[in-house]
Every structure is written in structure tokens, then in C-alpha cells.
Amino acid sequence: MPAPSPSSLSIKTLALASASALLLAACGGDKPKEGGPGAMAGMAAPVSVIEAQPTKVMTSIEVVGQTEGAKEVEVRARVGGILLQRTYEEGASVKAGQKLFQIDRAPLEIALAQARATQVEAQARVDQTTRETARLKGMLAQNAISQKEYDDMVSSSAIAKATLLAAQARVRDAELNLSYAQVTAPIGGITGRAQKSEGTLVSTGSDSLLTTIVQTDPIWVRFSIADNELDKLPKRQVNKASVKGVQIVTADGEAPLPGKLNFAASSIDPKLGTLQLRAELANTENGLLPGQFVRVKLITGERDGVFLVPQTAVMSSDKGKFVFVVGPDSKAQPRPVQTGDWQGK
């Protein structure tokens, strides 16, 4: 359809997806003499105008959100001992598996050696009882020993094998404890402040925290929308069908960052009357940090027949919003308008 002329804009047809000027401030022209008749009335002031054409814009719900790490991990000591070394720079990025701390290995190496010695002893006992069982079996066939003597040896052999299994388990446990002396990063991300300094005796109890790691790529944004905002969505449902996209707007005013919805609560919070949501977006350069406040736009669809005008063109009075529209006689007249959401400027 051909676009209507500015003079035909009315409260029924002019929907502003921004705020501002069909009619801009006066520019150019000679100023009226001070105190002259044109200073008060009767003298036309030249102004700049723009032609507003209907267009299509995205409809959205805009709220405030807060960033958080996709994964937030506490790095804890899994064995006790003296903390000998910190091998990472606090606040720096680390990779999964990277060494962070070194706990004294000596006591753990001794424990492993003892466990292995016990295993060797248990293995020798198994070998001995196996030989004795075979020898007594032959003697039993010749009625040289009683059935009870043979049964006792079979039981001793079974006990020896069980003891060997326990010894092998203790060796495995000691090997794991020795490997835990080197504390590595369970995930890649940004490290926090070290909670223990070199020379400190660490334990495996409640005081075992060494540092934290936050995964910031991707990063999550946690936010919520009010119950009445759900009326803007089909069937009042938040899902992939009703939300066409997510945009994250930072405080620096740069271009919105694209994201996607990765969580929506199944019920309204009865205390706050809001629905908890979460978005995910790429953060390869760590431009966003956990805990940062941002603006979140849920793109809900498109709207036709909208007039985008500069923010300064929309004015307010006791009767509501209005803009000046130039008529066929080249005179500007105020017209009431119905404003929508802002789109940038």
C-alpha cells in the first residue's frame, strides 16, 4: 500500500516505536528583532521536517538482567597436607586440567609404599594357601587327612584372596590420594582469589576451599518478566515458538548481542509475581563479567504500520503524547499519537 501523507497521521494510525521528531527544531532564517511583533505571534518560524513512512519493526519485552557464569566451580583440596605451591595467576584464565596448586607429596608417597607392601604380603599368602589346598586335596583322596582339615584350608585360601582384594583397593586409594596432591582445574574459565597461601596446612573438611573458577564463555543472563508481560506472548507461554530471539544490550550502548533462551521456569513465583528466565550468549573475549547488569530484549514478533521517528519529535501535554504534523497548507499542527516501544534512538 502507498504510505499515507504526514497530514493523515492520527491517533488511530500513528504508532511510534521510538520517541521523537516529525518536526525538528527551527533552523536557519533571520531572527525577529527583539521586541518586534514576530517575537510573540503572527510571524512564521522556519523549521525542518521529515517524512514518516509506515514500516515493520520487531516487538519485544525489555527487562533488566544480571550475568552469571555458565559454570561456577569451587576448587577444593581432596587430600590433607602442606600447600607447597600456587601455579596460576589469580584472576587469569585457565584451561581444564591445568595445574593450580601443589600439596606436599611425601606423606602420600609413603602411604602408597605401605599399601603396596601390604598387597605383596597378601599376594604371598594367597599363593601359599593355594599350594596347600592343592596338596591337601590329594591327601584327602588317599584318606590321609580328615575332611575338616581340607575344609579349613579351603576357607583359609578364600580369606587370603579376600585380603588380597582389600590390599589392592588400598593401593588404588593411595594412588588416587597421591594424584590429588596436584590440584588441577576441573573446567576452563576465570580463576578467583586463592583462599590458601603457600605453607598453609590444608584439610579435606569444610575448610578445604582453595579457589573458584567461573566459566564465562558462554555466559548466562538471569532475568524475569512480570506476569502481565506474558499477555504479549502467544498463549502466555515462553518457549522457542513464542520467543523469536534474545538480544542483550550492555551499558556502553553498543550493538545488541545475540543470545538464546535456555531456561524458563515452569511456574510463576508467588511472592514476586514473576517468571524466572535465563539466556545464553557467546562471550569469547570476556566482554561481559559475572554479576554485570544488562538489558534483555525478548523478541516476540513483528508489527506492521509503525512510524519510526526521532525521540525528540514526541512531546507531552496534559492530554498525552503528540507530534507536530505539517498539513497541506505547510503549517504544523499538533496531532495526538499512540507511542510504542523505543527502537534505539
Side-chain angles (χ1 to χ4, degrees):
M1 294 178 61
S5 65
S7 61
S8 64
L9 300 179
S10 68
I11 190 171
K12 299 297 185 181
T13 60
L14 183 57
L16 301 176
S18 149
S20 221
L22 284 178
L23 181 63
L24 302 182
C27 61
D30 296 332
K31 294 182 179 179
K33 296 181 180 179
E34 185 176 354
M40 297 299 293
M43 183 174 180
V47 296
S48 297
V49 298
I50 61 171
E51 183 177 355
Q53 298 289 345
T55 186
K56 180 185 295 184
V57 298
M58 295 184 299
T59 58
S60 62
I61 300 174
E62 187 170 347
V63 295
V64 175
Q66 189 173 21
T67 58
E68 62 180 21
K71 293 180 181 178
E72 299 180 357
V73 177
E74 293 182 341
V75 180
R76 294 183 175 271
R78 303 175 72 173
V79 291
I82 300 297
L83 186 63
L84 298 180
Q85 187 182 19
R86 171 174 59 84
T87 58
Y88 77 98
E89 182 180 353
E90 294 172 298
S93 298
V94 296
K95 297 180 180 180
Q98 181 176 332
K99 182 180 177 181
L100 303 179
F101 297 93
Q102 180 64 57
I103 298 174
D104 188 8
R105 292 170 52 92
L108 303 172
E109 290 173 342
I110 293 173
L112 176 58
Q114 291 174 337
R116 285 174 174 169
T118 302
Q119 179 182 356
V120 172
E121 181 182 358
Q123 182 65 57
R125 179 61 179 164
V126 168
D127 295 342
Q128 181 186 17
T129 55
T130 300
R131 290 192 303 268
E132 285 294 316
T133 301
R135 185 176 66 86
L136 292 181
K137 185 176 182 180
M139 295 178 65
L140 179 63
Q142 299 174 3
N143 293 322
I145 61 172
S146 65
Q147 183 68 43
K148 181 179 182 304
E149 288 178 297
Y150 176 75
D151 292 342
D152 289 345
M153 182 51 65
V154 171
S155 297
S156 296
S157 179
I159 293 172
K161 292 178 180 178
T163 302
L164 175 60
L165 292 176
Q168 291 172 341
R170 284 192 291 271
V171 169
R172 178 57 179 156
D173 182 59
E175 289 173 342
L176 282 176
N177 288 339
L178 182 59
S179 68
Y180 294 154
Q182 178 173 293
V183 182
T184 58
I187 63 170
I190 306 298
T191 56
R193 181 175 64 87
Q195 300 296 317
K196 298 288 189 297
S197 60
E198 291 87 342
T200 303
L201 176 64
V202 298
S203 64
T204 57
S206 59
D207 194 34
S208 61
L209 180 64
L210 299 178
T211 189
T212 56
I213 299 178
V214 179
Q215 183 182 12
T216 58
D217 184 26
I219 197 167
W220 289 350
V221 179
R222 180 167 37 85
F223 60 100
S224 59
I225 59 175
D227 185 15
N228 58 4
E229 295 280 9
L230 293 176
D231 295 335
K232 300 179 180 180
L233 297 170
K235 299 182 180 179
R236 292 174 52 86
Q237 293 182 354
V238 180
N239 49 44
K240 294 182 179 180
S242 60
V243 177
K244 308 302 181 183
V246 180
Q247 294 181 348
I248 310 300
V249 183
T250 58
D252 55 17
E254 294 185 357
L257 304 174
K260 63 180 181 180
L261 198 67
N262 70 351
F263 169 77
S266 58
S267 60
I268 300 293
D269 188 324
K271 295 182 179 179
L272 302 176
T274 57
L275 181 69
Q276 299 295 319
L277 302 170
R278 190 179 65 208
E280 176 183 316
L281 69 152
N283 190 35
T284 54
E285 298 181 358
N286 291 325
L288 293 173
L289 296 176
Q292 186 174 341
F293 287 97
V294 295
R295 297 200 66 83
V296 182
K297 283 187 175 182
L298 288 179
I299 309 302
T300 58
E302 292 181 332
R303 184 178 178 184
D304 290 326
V306 173
F307 294 85
L308 289 174
V309 299
Q311 178 181 345
T312 53
V314 179
M315 305 177 188
S316 299
S317 68
D318 56 351
K319 296 182 179 180
K321 305 287 186 179
F322 69 94
V323 296
F324 279 96
V325 177
V326 178
D329 55 357
S330 297
K331 294 182 179 180
Q333 299 291 334
R335 295 288 180 88
V337 293
Q338 201 173 26
T339 59
D341 299 328
W342 285 11
Q343 301 284 336
K345 298 181 180 181

